[in-house]
Amino acid sequence: MSTKHQELANFIWSVADLLRGDYKQSEYGRVILPLTVLRRLDCVLEPTKDAVLARHAQLRDLGVQNMDPVLRKTAGLSFYNTSEMSFRKLLGDQDHVALNLRAYIGGFSPGAVDVLEKYGFDTQISRLAEAGLLYQVVAKFADIDLHPDVVSNHQMGYVFEELIRRFSEISNETAGEHFTPREVIKLMVNLLLAPDEDDLVTPGIVRKVYDPACGTGGMLSEAQDHIQAHNPHATVEVYGQELNGETYAICRSDMMLKGGDPTKIAYGNSFSQDGHEDERFDYMLANPPFGVEWKKVEAFIKAEHARGHAGRFGAGLPRINDGSLLFLQHMISKMKRPEDGGSRLAIVFNGSPLFTGAAGSGESEIRRWILENDLLEGIVALPDQLFYNTGISTYFWILTNRKDPARRRTVVLLDGRDCWTKMRKGLGEKRKQITEEQIADLTGAYVGALTVAADPAHSQHGKVRVFETTDFGYQRITVERPLRLRFEVTEETLALLADAKAVLRYTEREALLSTAKTLIGTQATSRAEFAMKLVGLGEMPAPVEKAVWEAFSVSDPAGEVQTDRKGKPFADPDLRDYENVPLNQDVHEYLEREVLRHVRDAWIDESKTKIGYEIPLTRHFYIYTPPRPLAEIDAEIASVEADIKRLLGEVAK
């Protein structure tokens, strides 16, 4: 950001001096941001203000109902204002500033009014008026010259983003919900766009960029700036959607102040109110909230999931308390088809989507679908303590449906956890930052890995590793062992029989228990032999007979193997075990090698085998550190003991 931009941002932020005492620091942005927008719009509309007012009066006299298209054309912009008021005129009536300011805001076109309403600025007008500050604050903004011939759209964008950054950083308790640190965004955009840099310089290119959880719009702005830095003549159309009203207003304001199309920033829930349903994008990026449940839109999402891949969530549904993977599926659904140029996307996740969920679960099925369709290009592990509202570790997932042939069926893992510099002063949970040099190093390492992805063996070292997509898959096998039983009537087994539900409902219960009591001490290792000893119990209903056998059966490793009528052994649920076998290994060879050498009677119940996928990134970069030699530890203990004795001796003197 240039010195001029910084000075202008400083001047605007100096309004906060008037707010001290009546507003908390974290509330300054609620006044400064909407008034900055208002003042900029006021300056931008000034050259055509008289023409718009005249045209509005003319259309009103003619009884025209839909004036909006005509007034937009008259203003030459996507917004206009039909109020007689302006910032200068507001100062002419000191006693009615609140009334006139509300009338001025009400005169804006619908889109601009919507933005200002989402700020909740009407509440701040009342609050400022009650504190006797409204006139002073408006006067301060009236002195700020934000005319386009003084501050260009591009410069205004930088100034507004600086104000957003300051507002977010002093609102530590909630900043992470809508503001991603600038250096994190820059690294993310670099990783997303770097492989396409040769294409981005093509004259006359048009690129669409989308963020379904756009917050204040920082990612969209950085992506737009990155592309236009490589190609000033490129057309970059940015689209976004945001659920929080205030941050939606900030993002849409940023688009308006830059001269972009604010209508491409939609308000609402991206899952149930998709504001860009029929759009497809070249690039997508997002930092969705971590661990936020989707219960409010559960019915809608499950209904769309039921449509399979005709909807957005056909791959699977994650657990209700974390919708991260829903955002990813939503973004994948907006990829252009490969034959139309395809798409690339990047998203920030915590560690949960890497491995949460066993084989067959919603999360595992989503990972499976992504990897089997060769959409995952790479994952980058970031340092912890990078974000304002959480100190947990985070990861970039980078996906594309247009991999180069040499990179197909491969995934790059980059470990950037050690690439950070300690901040002089922490902000909320943020204690670390990534420097420009580290951003360049990580970007270079990632792009370099893509060039050798055809041969994973070439990158199995250092902080970068390349794997085949199947390396993350496994077969979840169920290992069974036969049910072995002995049979006996004891006080304990008789008590089990007495408490069985079928026996409790049996009309001949007392007679059954009385007869069974005479058999206490009866034992057998064979089911057939024991059946002969139970003849005295007489005929019983099937449920009761089943309860008798269950009560008098005792698990015994040396007992008889229980089989069905075809001689197939029953499985013992208490001995059941599960094994994860790598997808590229034969499960029967695995059984022979890892299981049968310990227990020869085991087998795989293949009807229960499931395919699962997980990405244990930290395991792949784990470096074993052997413990210190015992002699070294003993010597250190002896040294410490000697020091303690010496100190005690000095005290005793």
Side-chain angles (χ1 to χ4, degrees), residues 446-464:
Y446 183 80
V447 175
L450 295 179
T451 64
V452 295
D455 186 0
H458 289 172
S459 290
Q460 304 304 317
H461 62 83
K463 296 296 183 182
V464 182

Side-chain angles (χ1 to χ4, degrees), residues 594-606:
E594 303 292 339
V595 179
L596 294 182
R597 64 193 181 98
H598 302 293
V599 284
R600 295 302 305 175
D601 57 359
W603 76 91
I604 298 173
D605 184 347
E606 299 195 17

Side-chain angles (χ1 to χ4, degrees), residues 397-644:
W397 287 42
I398 302 163
L399 286 76
T400 182
N401 61 352
R402 51 178 172 85
K403 288 184 181 181
D404 289 340
R407 288 167 23 213
R408 287 176 185 160
R409 315 305 308 176
T410 63
V411 175
V412 175
L413 299 186
L414 172 59
D415 184 6
R417 291 174 294 173
D418 294 333
C419 292
W420 56 273
T421 301
K422 188 174 181 61
M423 297 175 65
R424 285 183 296 177
K425 181 182 178 182
L427 293 168
E429 297 293 326
K430 183 174 175 61
R431 301 285 186 275
K432 300 175 181 178
Q433 61 185 4
I434 306 174
T435 65
E436 290 285 338
E437 183 179 351
Q438 289 165 337
I439 290 173
D441 289 345
L442 288 170
T443 304
Y446 183 80
V447 175
L450 295 179
T451 64
V452 295
D455 186 0
H458 289 172
S459 290
Q460 304 304 317
H461 62 83
K463 296 296 183 182
V464 182
R465 302 201 173 189
V466 181
F467 295 87
E468 294 182 0
T469 54
T470 52
D471 290 339
F472 304 112
Y474 62 90
Q475 301 164 84
R476 177 76 163 177
I477 62 172
T478 303
V479 179
E480 302 282 19
R481 293 182 62 193
L483 178 64
R484 295 177 180 272
L485 301 174
R486 72 173 190 273
F487 308 93
E488 61 185 23
V489 182
T490 63
E491 293 287 354
E492 292 78 11
T493 59
L494 189 61
L496 291 174
L497 177 64
D499 291 337
K501 289 184 179 180
V503 174
L504 290 171
R505 295 193 295 265
Y506 186 36
T507 56
E508 303 295 328
R509 178 176 182 272
E510 295 303 323
L512 172 66
L513 295 177
S514 178
T515 304
K517 192 171 184 179
T518 65
L519 297 175
I520 290 178
T522 301
Q523 294 184 355
T525 57
S526 163
R527 188 182 183 92
E529 178 187 349
F530 193 68
M532 296 295 295
K533 296 180 180 182
L534 296 182
V535 171
L537 296 180
E539 292 289 330
M540 295 172 282
V544 176
E545 184 177 357
K546 181 180 179 183
V548 168
W549 280 104
E550 288 179 351
F552 295 156
S553 301
V554 179
S555 180
D556 186 346
E560 179 185 54
V561 174
Q562 305 301 300
T563 62
D564 61 16
R565 293 179 179 178
K566 296 181 179 179
K568 181 180 178 181
F570 290 113
D572 187 341
D574 293 333
L575 297 179
R576 183 172 294 140
D577 198 8
Y578 301 93
E579 299 280 346
N580 289 347
V581 182
L583 206 56
N584 54 12
Q585 290 187 25
D586 183 271
V587 293
H588 298 289
E589 291 178 2
Y590 178 91
L591 183 73
E592 181 70 37
R593 183 178 68 252
E594 303 292 339
V595 179
L596 294 182
R597 64 193 181 98
H598 302 293
V599 284
R600 295 302 305 175
D601 57 359
W603 76 91
I604 298 173
D605 184 347
E606 299 195 17
S607 68
K608 297 178 181 177
T609 298
K610 296 179 180 178
I611 302 297
Y613 277 82
E614 64 178 8
I615 307 171
L617 187 145
T618 53
R619 187 195 309 165
H620 290 302
F621 289 100
Y622 173 74
I623 299 176
Y624 173 70
T625 303
R628 292 186 298 162
L630 287 175
E632 183 181 324
I633 297 172
D634 288 340
E636 187 174 323
I637 292 173
S639 175
V640 171
E641 288 176 342
D643 288 342
I644 292 172

